[in-house]
Amino acid sequence: RHCQRCIGADLHQTHQFIEHIQDQIRAENIEHLDSEAADWMTLSFGFVTLDVSKTSPNQAYRQLTNHADRCLYQAKQQGRNQIIGTEFN
C-alpha cells in the first residue's frame, strides 16, 4: 500500500493523474514472470479525495485510509489495471 497526496486535485484530476501513471507503466512493458494472471505488470488503484475546507486530513486520516482501502479492494475485484475513487466529505 502506498499513500500519495495530490494537493488541490479533485476527483477527476486525480483519476487522470493515475491514468497517466498506468500509461507509463504500460509503456515500460515490465514483464511479470511470476504471475499466472498476466505477462506484464499492471497496477490497480483505490483513492479518496478530500476537500480540506470541509474536513481536516488529520481528523479524517483513519477514515480516509479505510475508504481508500475499500476502493482498492473494489478495483482489484473488477480486474487488472483498474481505478476506483471516491470523494470524502
Side-chain angles (χ1 to χ4, degrees):
R1 175 171 33 167
H2 173 76
C3 181
Q4 174 72 42
R5 291 188 323 174
C6 299
I7 307 286
D10 64 16
L11 188 72
H12 178 72
Q13 292 165 325
T14 303
H15 196 279
Q16 286 182 316
F17 173 73
I18 293 170
E19 284 179 333
H20 179 71
I21 292 170
Q22 286 180 324
D23 290 343
Q24 289 178 320
I25 293 294
R26 190 175 11 260
E28 291 293 323
N29 291 320
I30 301 169
E31 288 188 77
H32 201 307
L33 300 175
D34 296 329
S35 174
E36 295 178 15
D39 295 332
W40 307 100
M41 180 189 285
T42 62
L43 295 175
S44 290
F45 291 83
F47 73 93
V48 177
T49 60
L50 169 73
D51 182 344
V52 294
S53 69
K54 296 178 184 176
T55 307
S56 163
N58 292 335
Q59 293 172 339
Y61 177 76
R62 184 175 298 278
Q63 291 175 315
L64 285 169
T65 55
N66 286 341
H67 281 286
D69 281 345
R70 283 195 293 270
C71 287
L72 178 58
Y73 180 75
Q74 186 178 355
K76 288 184 174 206
Q77 289 295 311
Q78 289 185 8
R80 303 185 66 76
N81 226 34
Q82 300 295 309
I83 304 169
I84 300 293
T86 188
E87 294 177 314
F88 179 86
N89 285 109

